[in-house]
Each structure stands twice: as structure tokens, then as C-alpha cells.
């Protein structure tokens, strides 16, 4: 009977490990690197108990609690407590993402692509693949927990206790295993790999939000989220191992439920009725612009949320500017020589954040334009170009989409920073923080124009990224390396007036706009003149 | 008047000369079979005709307009089906069909679309990501035939279809022809070309080496014969006789059209018991051009 269900679990497990022989070690190494870097950074940033108390004072606010979870042990905010508060939830969410990606690959993706059918035709048990996947995940997360624990112990910081270190690792590992089990269930429900991932990410997001709302406003609510249980272990402060056992126990139950679901369904089928789509296209979808936006909808939403969180994270630490600038020499150098104090210093900091956030927000805009070359690479352009749609309109609809992306991502980043900034800092006006980011829009459009030009040419696409990298280096290292001013002025971001410190300069923005228009005209021209590749 | 006419179009990709002078001609209401092996330049020619790539020299006109300069205007009256249909995995087949029709500047005629969906047995509510190659091809075919076009350019459109669906496709082409539309059909399936096409153009190494009506072309080639005779006979060295093969009760061979009467005279001397003749298939025509090397180019 067992043979019937579980035959050949081990060979399949080994086979899966072999497929992931690069992927999994890279993930684990990254988690180790991030954890070790941050903990040593905290140690050097806040050497004295006073520094840490000051930090503790500034992090107890709703914005931080919603993002990172409640702060435990603030009355004795040592490096251990800081690590657990600032890093545990974030890292755990990324571990969950890793888990969702890997488990989807080995379950539904294999089934969708027909690999599972091939395996099932061999004398293997009906549940062998799923059991192997969960077994592999268990081993992987056991190793991750152990390594994180050992690494934390090895750096020898008194407040990072041995027990706490291993609990920290276990908290990460158990979250990974929990979402492995969740993904295993979703793989039984959905018919496609995309669907499996979508459902699993939705569960992750829901648990994160439940915890965020619970932690901020109504604590019992957090008990409805495994992320809440995991944080209840209060690593380095109280070390509640039982919470980890609870998460693990529920994960095992979920895993067993996945096996039950797997046993009662046909291979290739999903338990949720596959949502049949619309047989007709809406009026909106039938237009090239509507179509282009629709194809990028998910990533536009994701980037907007991401940039909002990015902005909000920086906005919520504005209140800490003094500490950062005082403690990190590089930061002072980046800001330049005439450092102010108080709100003046904060405004200087805001100017720098404005550039950096704008540069980050430019990434989705370039990606948005580059989608058109991806269409060409995937051989989908030929059929579109064979219709009565002109090349100008085709490229034009991608440029317009990228402009919409620019408004959305810059808007959400600016809104996030202004909102979190004004919530934590009384002297800051909403418009000051908002405008500091939004003023960079014309600079980001230069990048859209360049991206369009290279799509038009069909080559040199890497140059846009190089140029963006250059702009970043000018901001990041320009102050330290004392770049000459002409080198700075090659970056469009440097031409934008740094609000609120500098005066508004409409003519500079207008020149950028003109360059953008020129780039677009050129790109439309070259795009309609070249051979399409596919 | 020609609907499609090209004269000596050439196309170079770097050092490679993909097209070395392609001449094609499709009349109104005519179906032209465009055949040739992989890499001969069929798809490159079609992409020139669609204004996706620009010919280095030569002239290519559709409805009397230049295929490159007037591409957008021309495409309103054309429909194209590629051999390798790549679609957007997160949209349904129905949505993609509507998108293509709208891009051609036509209105979506729901009745016509549903009729074709029915005939091709496609589930238009499924996401394209779940479609097989054949189903993706059906999407492109339905989009092409759901709105009438004056010229259909079809590049190996049936390579993923089952025989039943191939038949539906053939009916669609015949209906289009009856409406007076012209079709350029590039294909590997010679039986399909034989069934549908009035004219055939054979391309090899970037040049059209043979073109004309099927009857004309047949004349250029050999007839298959099977004979049974009283006395044994050996004509393997006879002029115009090819692939002489002794079978169980008789002989099978091929004869050049020109030598037919002299060969038959010889055969009858041996006491002819039975004769079966088959007209040359397109495959023979095709093979003759490819196997014998450059004797026609």
C-alpha cells in the first residue's frame, strides 16, 4: 500500500536537489550574506546603549510597526532586538518567496509542461513527487536555519545569544517550510504554474497585511497570520520556541492536506475549476495602447506598490537623519560640504533621496519600453506588424505606457515618502517631500526617450542601463570622489533642481522635456525604417 | 491585373544572400502555391511582402502599391498567418482574435467569428498559454478569415493542424477564393497545394526556379508507369526512362513526357498485359528540382 503511494520518494528527491544544485545554494548564501551584513552594520551604527535607545525611540511608530512588525524589547534595545525587529519579517517574507518559486517549479510547472506525466508513467508512487518536494524543502530549510544560527553565533556579539541565533534561523526556516506547504496546496488547486504562484503570493500578501493591520490597530488579528506567530517568538528577547513549533505543526497539517488533495485528483487537472476567460476582447483591449497597458498591468501595480514601500521606508527614517549623517561618514560626504542641522539637514537628505528614488523608479520605465523588444524577441511582433498598425503607433503606444508608468511609480514613491515623513516628522510639509521626488519626472523621461531610441534601432539596449548606472554613480560617489562638474552635468538627474534646497528651475525642466521629445521623434523615425527581427 | 507582383527582389543579411531575385505574380482570385525547402527563402520573401523587412533591390507591389512604403495602407486589405504562431500566454484566444481583427482596422463580426470558432473547434475562453501549437495556429487562422481580406498571405499555416482541421482550413481558402480574394500559400504539404492552388512557384536558394500553372508544370515532368508484360523486358538504359524497378509481377518506372510515345512503343513489343499510369505528383516535381541539383537554375 505504501508502495502504491510513496514508491521512489528518495530518487525523486535527489533528482529535484540536482536540478536546484545552483539555485538553492545561491538563495541560502544570499540570506546568510544579508543577515551577517546587517547585523554587523547595526553593531557599528549603534555602538552605545544611548544610540540604541534613541533608535528605539524613533522606531516605535505605526508606520514602522506596519512594515516590520512590532518592536519587542525596546526598553533594552540591544543589537539582537534590533536585528529581530528590523530584519526578521523582511527576510522571512523573502524566504517565503523563494519557497513559492521553488515548490511551484517542482509541482505544477512540471505537471503543466508534461514532465510529471513522464515520471508518473514509471513505477513511482502517486504521491511520490509531492512528498519528495516537501521532503527536499524540509531539508533545505533545516539547513538554512542551522547555517543562519551558526553564522550569527560566529560573529560573537553578546546580545546575539546562542539560543536566539538558532531561533532566528529556525523562524526563517519554518516560514519557508510553511509557504512550501501552502504552495503545495495551491498547486493542487490551480491548473497552471502562473495560477499556483498567483494564489500563493496572494496568501503571503494576505498574511502580511493581516499582521500589519493587527500589529497596528487590533492585536488579536495578528493571531490569524502565521507571520504573526513567527514574530511572537520574540527572538533575542523572550525566545518563545513554542511559536516556531506551532508554525511547523500547522505547516505539516497543510502539507498533509496537500497530499490528500493530490491523491483525489487526476494528474494535469486542478481542483479549482479553471477560470475560463472572456471569449471576446473589450473595446479597451482592442486598442494598441489599451493592449500594451493591459499586458503590463501586473508589473505596473507591483512596481507602484514597491516604490510606495520604498518611499515610505525612507520617509519613516527621515526623523533619524541626524544619526545617519553623524554615524556614516559616506553619507555626510554624499550630502556635500555645507551640512545644515535640524530640518535643514533633513531637507538636504531629502534632496539626495529624491535623486536615488527617482533613479530606482526609472528601472520600471525602461523595462516598460523594452517590453517591445521582448515582443520582437518572442516573435510576436511579426503578426502585429502585418496588420494596419503603423510602426510609429506601435512604438508610440509603448512610450505612452512608459510615461503612464513614470507618473504612477514616481507618484507612489513621492506619496509614500511624504506620507511616512509627515507622520513621523512634524516639521515636514507633505508637499516638500512629495515635490522633491516628483520634480525628477522630466529626467526620467530622458531615460524613456533613450530606451525608445535603442528599441527603435534594435541594438545597443545595454547603453540605457549603463547611462542609468552612470547617473547613479554620479550621485552616489560624485561627492566622495569629487567629480568635476561637467561629469555631473552629463547626468539628466543633475540638471533637475534639487527641491527643497535649490530653487525651482522651470527652464531646466523644459530643456529636458525638449530633449525627450527629440529622442522620441528620432526613435519613431528609426523604428519605422529598420527590419524587424521576428 | 496582378494583385501581387514582385520583380527581382533581393535581400542580404550581412554576408548571406537570402533572396537572389524573386519573381512572383498572383492574379485576382488566384491561389498561388509557394513551395520550397526550409531555408530556401519562403519566409524571407513573405516578410518582404509584409513590409517587415526591406528588400535591398527589386520591386514588390501589392494592389499596385509599394509593400514597404505603403505597408500600413496595404495591410488593411491583407491578412497574414505565420507558421509559428506566438501568442500572449495570459490572454484568451478570443481576446487575441479580436485584437488582431481590430488592428487590421476591421470591425469584429461576432457571428462570423463564432462560426469559425465552431468550425475550427477552438475554445476561445482558454488562455493562450494553455494552447497547443495547433490551437495557436487556429487562433491566427480564425483572426485571418473572420474579417474578409483581398489578399491572404499564409506561411505554412497548417503545420500543426490535424487532418480534419486541415480540411476546414482548405474550405476557408476555397471560400475566400470564391469571394474573389487572392491567396499566397506557402506550404510543405504538397497534397494541400495540389488541392488548392491554380499556380505554383518553386523557390530554391533564394530564387524562383519554376513557376506556372500545375498543368504546365506537370508537362515538364515525368509520368509514373506500372506495366506487366508477357516477356521480360529491361528498359533501364532507354532514353527518358528513370527509376526502372522490377516488381513482383511487372515493372514500375517513370518516363519523361517527351519520351512517352517511344517508350510505349518499345513496351508493346514485349506483349503488354497491363498498364497503370499515374500523373506526376507535385512531390515528383519538387523532388526533381531538389535532387537533380542545378539543372534548371
Amino acid at each position: 500500500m505504501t508502495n502504491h503511494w510513496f514508491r521512489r520518494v528518495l530518487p525523486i528527491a535527489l533528482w529535484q536537489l540536482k536540478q536546484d544544485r545552483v539555485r538553492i545554494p545561491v538563495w541560502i548564501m544570499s540570506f546568510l550574506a544579508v543577515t551577517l551584513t546587517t547585523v554587523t552594520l547595526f553593531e557599528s551604527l549603534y555602538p552605545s546603549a544611548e544610540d540604541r535607545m534613541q533608535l528605539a525611540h524613533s522606531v516605535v511608530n505605526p508606520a514602522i510597526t506596519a512594515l516590520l512588525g512590532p518592536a519587542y524589547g525596546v526598553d533594552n534595545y540591544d543589537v539582537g532586538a534590533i536585528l529581530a525587529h528590523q530584519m526578521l519579517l523582511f527576510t522571512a517574507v523573502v524566504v517565503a518567496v523563494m519557497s513559492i518559486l521553488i515548490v511551484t517549479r517542482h509541482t505544477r510547472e512540471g505537471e503543466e509542461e508534461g514532465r510529471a506525466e513522464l515520471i508518473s508513467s514509471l513505477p513511482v508512487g502517486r504521491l511520490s513527487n509531492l512528498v519528495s518536494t516537501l521532503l527536499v524543502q524540509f531539508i533545505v530549510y533545516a539547513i538554512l536555519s542551522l547555517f543562519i544560527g551558526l553564522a550569527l553565533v560566529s560573529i560573537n556579539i553578546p546580545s546575539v545569544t546562542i539560543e536566539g541565533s538558532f531561533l532566528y534561523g529556525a523562524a526563517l526556516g519554518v516560514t519557508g517550510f510553511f509557504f512550501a506547504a501552502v504552495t503545495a496546496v495551491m498547486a493542487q488547486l490551480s491548473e497552471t504554474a502562473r495560477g499556483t504562484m498567483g494564489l500563493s503570493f496572494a496568501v503571503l500578501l494576505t498574511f502580511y497585511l493581516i499582521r500589519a493591520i493587527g500589529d497596528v490597530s487590533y492585536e488579536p488579528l495578528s493571531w490569524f497570520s502565521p507571520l504573526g506567530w513567527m514574530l511572537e517568538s520574540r527572538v533575542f528577547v523572550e525566545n518563545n520556541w513554542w511559536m516556531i513549533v506551532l508554525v511547523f505543526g500547522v505547516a505539516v497539517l497543510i502539507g498533509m492536506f496537500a497530499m490528500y488533495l493530490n491523491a483525489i485528483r487526476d494528474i494535469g487537472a486542478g481542483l479549482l475549476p479553471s477560470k475560463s476567460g472572456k471569449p471576446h476582447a473589450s473595446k479597451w483591449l482592442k486598442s494598441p495602447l489599451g493592449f500594451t497597458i493591459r499586458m503590463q498591468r501586473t508589473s505596473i501595480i507591483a512596481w507602484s506598490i514597491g516604490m510606495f514601500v520604498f518611499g515610505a521606508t525612507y520617509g519613516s527614517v527621515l526623523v533619524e537623519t541626524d544619526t545617519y549623517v553623524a554615524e556614516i561618514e559616506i553619507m555626510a560626504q554624499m550630502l556635500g560640504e555645507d551640512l545644515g542641522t535640524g530640518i535643514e539637514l533633513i531637507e538636504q537628505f531629502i534632496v539626495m533621496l529624491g535623486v536615488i528614488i527617482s533613479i530606482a523608479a526609472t528601472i520600471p520605465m525602461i523595462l516598460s519600453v523594452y517590453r517591445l523588444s521582448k515582443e520582437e524577441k518572442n516573435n510576436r511582433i511579426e503578426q502585429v506588424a502585418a496588420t494596419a498598425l503603423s510602426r510609429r503607433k506601435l512604438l508610440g503606444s509603448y512610450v505612452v505606457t512608459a510615461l503612464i508608468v513614470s507618473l504612477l511609480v514616481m507618484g507612489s514613491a513621492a506619496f509614500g515618502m511624504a506620507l511616512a515623513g509627515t507622520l513621523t516628522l512634524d516639521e515636514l510639509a507633505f508637499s516638500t517631500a512629495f515635490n522633491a521626488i516628483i520634480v525628477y519626472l522630466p529626467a526620467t523621461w530622458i531615460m524613456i526617450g533613450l530606451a525608445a531610441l535603442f528599441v527603435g534601432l534594435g541594438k545597443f539596449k545595454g547603453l540605457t542601463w549603463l547611462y542609468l548606472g552612470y547617473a547613479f554613480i554620479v550621485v552616489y560617489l560624485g561627492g566622495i570622489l569629487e567629480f568635476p562638474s561637467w561629469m555631473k552635468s552629463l547626468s539628466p538627474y543633475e540638471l533637475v533642481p534639487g527641491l527643497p534646497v535649490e530653487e525651482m528651475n522651470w527652464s531646466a525642466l523644459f530643456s529636458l522635456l525638449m530633449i525627450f521629445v527629440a529622442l522620441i521623434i528620432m526613435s519613431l523615425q528609426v523604428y519605422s525604417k529598420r527590419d524587424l527581427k521576428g | 491585373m496582378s494583385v501581387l507582383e514582385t520583380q527581382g527582389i533581393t535581400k542580404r543579411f550581412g554576408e548571406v544572400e537570402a533572396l537572389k531575385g524573386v519573381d512572383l505574380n498572383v492574379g485576382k482570385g488566384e491561389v498561388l502555391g509557394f513551395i520550397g525547402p526550409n531555408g530556401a527563402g519562403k519566409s524571407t520573401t513573405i516578410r518582404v511582402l509584409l513590409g517587415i523587412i526591406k528588400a535591398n533591390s527589386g520591386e514588390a507591389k501589392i494592389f499596385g502599391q509599394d509593400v514597404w512604403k505603403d505597408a500600413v495602407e496595404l495591410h488593411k486589405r491583407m491578412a497574414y498567418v505565420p507558421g509559428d504562431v506566438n501568442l500572449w500566454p495570459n490572454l484568451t484566444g478570443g481576446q487575441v482574435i479580436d485584437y488582431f481583427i481590430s488592428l487590421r482596422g476591421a470591425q469584429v463580426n461576432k457571428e462570423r467569428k463564432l462560426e469559425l470558432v465552431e468550425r475550427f473547434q477552438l475554445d476561445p475562453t482558454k488562455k493562450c498559454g494553455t494552447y497547443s501549437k495547433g490551437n495557436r495556429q487556429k487562433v491566427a487562422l480564425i483572426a485571418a478569415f473572420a474579417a474578409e481580406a483581398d489578399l491572404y498571405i499564409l506561411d505554412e499555416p497548417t503545420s500543426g493542424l490535424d487532418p480534419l482541421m486541415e480540411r476546414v482550413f482548405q474550405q476557408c481558402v476555397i471560400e475566400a477564393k470564391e469571394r474573389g480574394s487572392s491567396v499566397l500559400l506557402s506550404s510543405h504539404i504538397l497534397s494541400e497545394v495540389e488541392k488548392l492552388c491554380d499556380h505554383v512557384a518553386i523557390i530554391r536558394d533564394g530564387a524562383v526556379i519554376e513557376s506556372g500553372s500545375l498543368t504546365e508544370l506537370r508537362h515538364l515532368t515525368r509520368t509514373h508507369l506500372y506495366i506487366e508484360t508477357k516477356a521480360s523486358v529491361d528498359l533501364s538504359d532507354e532514353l527518358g526512362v528513370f527509376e526502372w524497378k522490377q516488381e513482383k509481377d511487372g515493372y514500375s518506372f517513370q518516363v519523361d513526357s517527351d519520351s512517352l510515345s517511344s517508350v510505349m512503343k518499345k513496351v508493346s513489343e514485349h506483349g503488354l498485359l497491363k498498364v497503370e499510369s499515374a500523373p506526376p505528383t507535385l512531390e515528383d516535381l519538387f523532388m526533381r528540382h531538389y535532387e537533380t541539383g542545378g539543372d534548371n537554375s
Side-chain angles (χ1 to χ4, degrees), chain A residues 163 167 229-235 237-245:
Chain A
E163 189 189 2
L167 181 58
W229 309 339
M230 189 268 297
L231 290 178
E232 261 313 299
S233 62
R234 307 191 179 197
V235 187
V237 180
E238 288 175 27
N239 292 336
N240 294 332
W241 282 89
W242 283 110
M243 288 296 129
I244 300 305
V245 175

Side-chain angles (χ1 to χ4, degrees), chain A residues 370-432:
Chain A
Y370 279 2
R371 285 274 186 123
L372 182 55
S373 348
K374 217 170 140 195
E375 290 289 295
E376 194 172 348
K377 210 170 142 201
N378 290 341
N379 290 318
R380 289 196 289 243
I381 277 301
E382 200 178 279
Q383 293 156 81
V384 173
T387 68
L389 177 67
S390 73
R391 302 241 191 127
R392 282 162 206 273
K393 262 196 185 154
L394 180 59
L395 179 55
S397 57
Y398 276 82
V399 171
V400 173
T401 305
L403 287 175
I404 293 170
V405 171
S406 77
L407 294 178
L408 288 174
V409 291
M410 293 286 279
S412 5
F415 185 67
M417 185 164 94
L419 188 70
T422 42
L423 277 179
T424 50
L425 197 65
D426 295 332
E427 313 88 300
L428 186 70
F430 185 90
S431 61
T432 309

Side-chain angles (χ1 to χ4, degrees), chain A residues 203-496:
Chain A
V203 170
L204 175 59
L205 188 69
T206 312
F207 282 147
Y208 182 84
L209 289 178
I210 289 178
R211 182 216 51 78
I213 298 166
D215 287 349
V216 173
S217 52
Y218 182 63
E219 211 165 304
L221 196 61
S222 297
W223 284 96
F224 287 93
S225 165
L227 294 172
W229 309 339
M230 189 268 297
L231 290 178
E232 261 313 299
S233 62
R234 307 191 179 197
V235 187
F236 297 117
V237 180
E238 288 175 27
N239 292 336
N240 294 332
W241 282 89
W242 283 110
M243 288 296 129
I244 300 305
V245 175
L246 172 68
V247 179
F248 181 73
V250 175
V252 170
L253 287 178
I254 295 175
M256 280 160 61
F257 182 55
M259 287 182 217
Y260 166 74
L261 293 178
N262 195 7
I264 59 166
R265 72 176 177 94
D266 289 338
I267 193 160
L271 289 169
L272 284 181
S274 72
K275 211 174 67 188
S276 57
K278 294 178 184 131
H280 305 292
S282 64
K283 204 174 169 193
W284 167 244
L285 186 62
K286 281 192 249 180
S287 74
L289 180 63
F291 185 87
T292 312
I293 293 174
R294 166 65 202 275
M295 295 315 291
Q296 303 186 17
R297 191 176 60 187
T298 317
S299 66
I300 293 176
I301 294 171
W303 273 101
S304 301
I305 295 173
M307 289 311 298
F308 174 80
V309 172
F310 193 47
T313 314
Y314 276 112
S316 62
V317 299
L318 281 176
V319 71
E320 274 286 283
T321 310
D322 278 332
T323 325
Y324 284 120
V325 177
E327 293 298 326
I328 314 175
E329 213 175 314
I330 294 177
M331 199 81 100
Q333 280 176 328
M334 278 167 73
L335 286 176
E337 276 145 30
D338 331 306
L339 280 184
T341 48
I343 188 73
E344 216 175 303
L345 180 68
I346 290 173
E347 287 183 345
Q348 284 172 334
F349 191 45
I350 287 178
V351 171
M352 191 183 73
L353 289 180
V355 193
I356 291 177
I357 290 175
S358 309
I359 291 177
T362 309
I363 296 172
M365 304 174 207
I366 298 175
L367 288 175
S368 173
V369 180
Y370 279 2
R371 285 274 186 123
L372 182 55
S373 348
K374 217 170 140 195
E375 290 289 295
E376 194 172 348
K377 210 170 142 201
N378 290 341
N379 290 318
R380 289 196 289 243
I381 277 301
E382 200 178 279
Q383 293 156 81
V384 173
T387 68
L389 177 67
S390 73
R391 302 241 191 127
R392 282 162 206 273
K393 262 196 185 154
L394 180 59
L395 179 55
S397 57
Y398 276 82
V399 171
V400 173
T401 305
L403 287 175
I404 293 170
V405 171
S406 77
L407 294 178
L408 288 174
V409 291
M410 293 286 279
S412 5
F415 185 67
M417 185 164 94
L419 188 70
T422 42
L423 277 179
T424 50
L425 197 65
D426 295 332
E427 313 88 300
L428 186 70
F430 185 90
S431 61
T432 309
F434 190 84
N435 292 342
I437 293 180
I438 219 76
V439 71
Y440 282 95
L441 263 179
T444 65
W445 293 346
I446 298 288
M447 294 299 176
I448 293 180
L450 265 188
L453 182 62
F454 294 129
V455 170
L457 285 169
K459 48 192 167 192
F460 310 132
K461 288 214 306 288
L463 287 182
T464 317
W465 295 119
L466 268 181
Y467 191 41
L468 188 69
Y470 175 77
F472 181 68
I473 287 172
V474 166
V475 180
Y476 207 71
L477 299 176
I480 301 163
L481 302 179
E482 288 170 3
F483 283 175
S485 60
W486 65 266
M487 270 187 81
K488 284 192 179 179
S489 60
L490 284 180
S491 156
Y493 299 87
E494 295 295 320
L495 302 176
V496 174

Side-chain angles (χ1 to χ4, degrees), chain B residues 11 29 56 58 63 65 69 95 100 120 135 155 159 161 197 203 211 214 222 233 264 270 292:
Chain B
K11 180 69 188 172
N56 293 114
F63 311 125
Q65 285 176 291
K69 271 191 287 192
Q95 286 173 318
F100 280 142
F120 276 107
N135 278 329
D155 190 1
S159 46
L161 297 187
C197 302
I203 183 171
S211 64
L214 263 178
R222 304 160 189 161
V233 55
M264 289 315 286
H270 294 83
T292 52

Side-chain angles (χ1 to χ4, degrees), chain A residues 276-281 285-286 291 295 375 378-380 382-383 385-388 390-391 531-534, chain B residues 11 47 51-54 68 72 75-76 80 82 85-88 90-92 94 98-99 102-103 113 125:
Chain A
S276 57
K278 294 178 184 131
H280 305 292
L285 186 62
K286 281 192 249 180
F291 185 87
M295 295 315 291
E375 290 289 295
N378 290 341
N379 290 318
R380 289 196 289 243
E382 200 178 279
Q383 293 156 81
T387 68
S390 73
R391 302 241 191 127
D531 289 354
L532 295 178
K533 290 183 196 82
Chain B
K11 180 69 188 172
R47 299 175 77 209
I52 290 169
I53 57 177
K54 194 178 181 188
W68 176 261
V72 174
H75 291 174
K76 289 181 186 161
Y80 166 60
V85 182
N86 295 290
L87 302 173
W88 298 268
N90 50 347
L91 294 181
T92 65
D98 286 359
Y99 181 53
S102 310
L103 285 186
K113 176 181 151 190
T125 62

Side-chain angles (χ1 to χ4, degrees), chain A residues 3 5-18 123-125 127-136 139:
Chain A
N3 242 356
W5 295 104
F6 303 118
R7 202 180 131 88
R8 302 235 151 235
V9 163
L10 277 181
I12 296 179
L14 286 176
W15 180 243
Q16 291 185 357
L17 274 173
K18 200 171 174 184
V124 300
L127 293 179
S128 296
N129 186 64
L130 183 62
V131 174
S132 308
T133 308
L134 291 175
L135 183 67
V136 167
I139 295 168

